[in-house]
Amino acid sequence: MLNGSALLTDYFKTACISQKGLRYYNIHLGVAFNPDLQKRAETTPLPDTAMGGYDVFIFGFDSLSRMAWLRNLPKTREFFTRVLGGIELEGHNVLGDGTVQALLPLLAGRTEQDLPTARRGERGSVFVDSFPWIWRKFKDAGYVTAWGEDMANIGTFQMRLNGFVNQPVDHYMRTYFLAAEPMYHRFKPFCVGSEPRHIRFFNYFRDLYQMYGAKRKFMFGFHSECSHQDNNYLKKLDSDFTEFLRELQDSGYLNHTILILMGDHGARFSYVRATQQGKMEERMPLFSFAFPPGFTT
């Protein structure tokens, strides 16, 4: 593959040997050009009920309470509230215990109890393909759809549920992480090659914006590695996430995006959970909105 070559797929492995015998082995990701997806928004009219065809970008952090957001991501919060005009829900409570209980109502409009059972090993359980996922409505409205979680080994709908039979969205990062996670032992902690893993995760959504430009998009990202076990690791990505949002703002992408930053619940596994404060925070995750200019006028 020559430098500058067009990607054939979003994800690919590389194995190289230089003339001096040095070896390079890594996995990469990007957004490959897909003519069918490019045409979707051009040929699919918006429904009469649509509010202007705004992009929707939801970005969540596992186990992030609103108070942990204040403590661990202060730069991001400052940019989100002061520059983007973000609105925080100060009394938002969980809908149930765990990630599934938080994301199912958000992405499917139903609680787990309202849907056919999809629990692993349970008699009569189904795959989750049949659930009324919101990205289907966006696809029908001409949107390109994308979904990414950075820890395939604890995937929201795969760990204790049966998961999907078919790829649920147009750009699905689980494929990448299933291949990448077995390679992590080759690299330094929290890195893939010389690149921090969270940077790759952020940049994938930046690449989606660059690939599709003004075409309509629905994107959902859920980052777990730096928060699932211990919220304190989020401090390491505060500056990078701020710059990621700043780049989207400076590029004009957020001028037509409804941006939602959220957590599924507060810390559940760290020592904080054993404190009275931790018990309260577990039930009060972050949920916040930033609307594009003109949306509320």
Side-chain angles (χ1 to χ4, degrees), residues 242-271:
T242 303
E243 288 307 309
F244 167 64
L245 295 179
R246 191 188 309 278
E247 183 177 355
L248 297 184
Q249 172 73 355
D250 292 345
S251 300
Y253 298 130
L254 297 186
N255 290 335
H256 208 260
T257 296
I258 297 172
L259 175 65
I260 299 173
L261 300 185
M262 60 165 290
D264 52 349
H265 48 72
R268 301 180 72 212
F269 300 108
S270 68
Y271 65 90

Side-chain angles (χ1 to χ4, degrees), residues 51-64:
M51 296 186 297
Y54 291 100
D55 292 341
V56 177
F57 183 24
I58 306 172
F59 197 101
F61 288 100
D62 199 337
S63 305
L64 181 67

Side-chain angles (χ1 to χ4, degrees), residues 23 55 62 67 71 100-101 127-128 130 139 181 240 246 253 257 265 281 290:
R23 296 176 178 269
D55 292 341
D62 199 337
M67 296 306 295
R71 290 192 301 267
V100 173
Q101 310 304 331
F127 292 97
V128 301
S130 61
K139 181 178 179 180
E181 286 178 358
D240 293 331
R246 191 188 309 278
Y253 298 130
T257 296
H265 48 72
E281 287 192 23

Side-chain angles (χ1 to χ4, degrees), residues 6-10 30-43 139 142-145 167 169-172 204 207-208 210-212 215:
L7 298 182
L8 302 179
T9 62
D10 282 7
V31 179
F33 181 84
N34 185 317
D36 293 332
L37 297 180
Q38 293 285 343
K39 292 177 183 177
R40 180 184 294 165
E42 299 171 1
T43 57
K139 181 178 179 180
Y143 280 67
V144 175
T145 58
Q167 179 171 313
V169 292
D170 299 315
H171 293 278
Y172 190 43
Y204 187 70
D207 292 348
L208 285 164
Q210 292 178 344
M211 174 59 72
Y212 294 104
K215 295 180 174 66

Side-chain angles (χ1 to χ4, degrees), residues 95-106 110-112 119 131 133 155-161 222 264-265 268:
L95 297 176
D97 186 30
T99 307
V100 173
Q101 310 304 331
L103 296 191
L104 260 182
L106 178 71
R110 301 286 190 278
T111 65
E112 188 175 3
R119 291 175 177 263
F131 290 1
W133 300 109
T156 299
F157 304 111
Q158 290 84 14
M159 186 170 71
R160 67 175 181 82
L161 303 185
F222 195 68
D264 52 349
H265 48 72
R268 301 180 72 212

Side-chain angles (χ1 to χ4, degrees), residues 49-283:
T49 56
M51 296 186 297
Y54 291 100
D55 292 341
V56 177
F57 183 24
I58 306 172
F59 197 101
F61 288 100
D62 199 337
S63 305
L64 181 67
S65 68
R66 180 174 175 269
M67 296 306 295
W69 154 256
L70 269 66
R71 290 192 301 267
N72 296 304
L73 295 166
K75 294 178 183 177
T76 303
R77 181 177 184 264
E78 178 75 11
F79 183 80
F80 181 76
T81 56
R82 301 291 185 183
V83 179
L84 301 183
I87 302 168
E88 300 170 345
L89 303 186
E90 297 182 359
H92 177 63
N93 276 258
V94 295
L95 297 176
D97 186 30
T99 307
V100 173
Q101 310 304 331
L103 296 191
L104 260 182
L106 178 71
L107 298 175
R110 301 286 190 278
T111 65
E112 188 175 3
Q113 291 71 31
D114 295 330
L115 294 164
T117 181
R119 291 175 177 263
R120 288 181 177 272
E122 192 167 297
R123 178 176 293 183
S125 67
V126 301
F127 292 97
V128 301
D129 299 64
S130 61
F131 290 1
W133 300 109
I134 192 171
W135 49 74
R136 292 179 182 163
K137 293 183 179 294
F138 280 102
K139 181 178 179 180
D140 291 342
Y143 280 67
V144 175
T145 58
W147 175 18
E149 297 184 67
D150 70 324
M151 295 184 71
N153 61 314
I154 58 169
T156 299
F157 304 111
Q158 290 84 14
M159 186 170 71
R160 67 175 181 82
L161 303 185
N162 290 321
F164 297 89
V165 174
N166 300 305
Q167 179 171 313
V169 292
D170 299 315
H171 293 278
Y172 190 43
M173 290 187 77
R174 182 171 174 80
T175 307
Y176 165 79
F177 284 106
L178 285 172
E181 286 178 358
M183 299 173 60
Y184 285 173
H185 69 280
R186 296 172 173 267
F187 311 121
K188 292 183 178 180
F190 299 101
C191 291
V192 179
S194 61
E195 189 175 28
R197 294 200 282 261
H198 68 267
I199 293 290
R200 281 203 172 182
F201 192 72
F202 299 162
N203 286 347
Y204 187 70
F205 293 98
R206 177 208 62 193
D207 292 348
L208 285 164
Y209 269 110
Q210 292 178 344
M211 174 59 72
Y212 294 104
K215 295 180 174 66
R216 303 189 290 273
K217 298 170 285 297
F218 171 83
M219 303 181 295
F220 176 67
F222 195 68
H223 189 277
S224 299
E225 189 173 40
C226 293
S227 58
H228 182 262
Q229 295 298 122
D230 188 343
N231 286 161
N232 290 317
Y233 284 110
L234 285 172
K235 295 181 176 69
K236 297 180 180 293
L237 56 78
D238 188 19
S239 295
D240 293 331
F241 194 58
T242 303
E243 288 307 309
F244 167 64
L245 295 179
R246 191 188 309 278
E247 183 177 355
L248 297 184
Q249 172 73 355
D250 292 345
S251 300
Y253 298 130
L254 297 186
N255 290 335
H256 208 260
T257 296
I258 297 172
L259 175 65
I260 299 173
L261 300 185
M262 60 165 290
D264 52 349
H265 48 72
R268 301 180 72 212
F269 300 108
S270 68
Y271 65 90
V272 175
R273 178 60 181 81
T275 67
Q276 184 174 1
Q277 176 71 18
K279 291 178 182 179
M280 293 179 61
E281 287 192 23
E282 184 198 4
R283 318 310 292 173

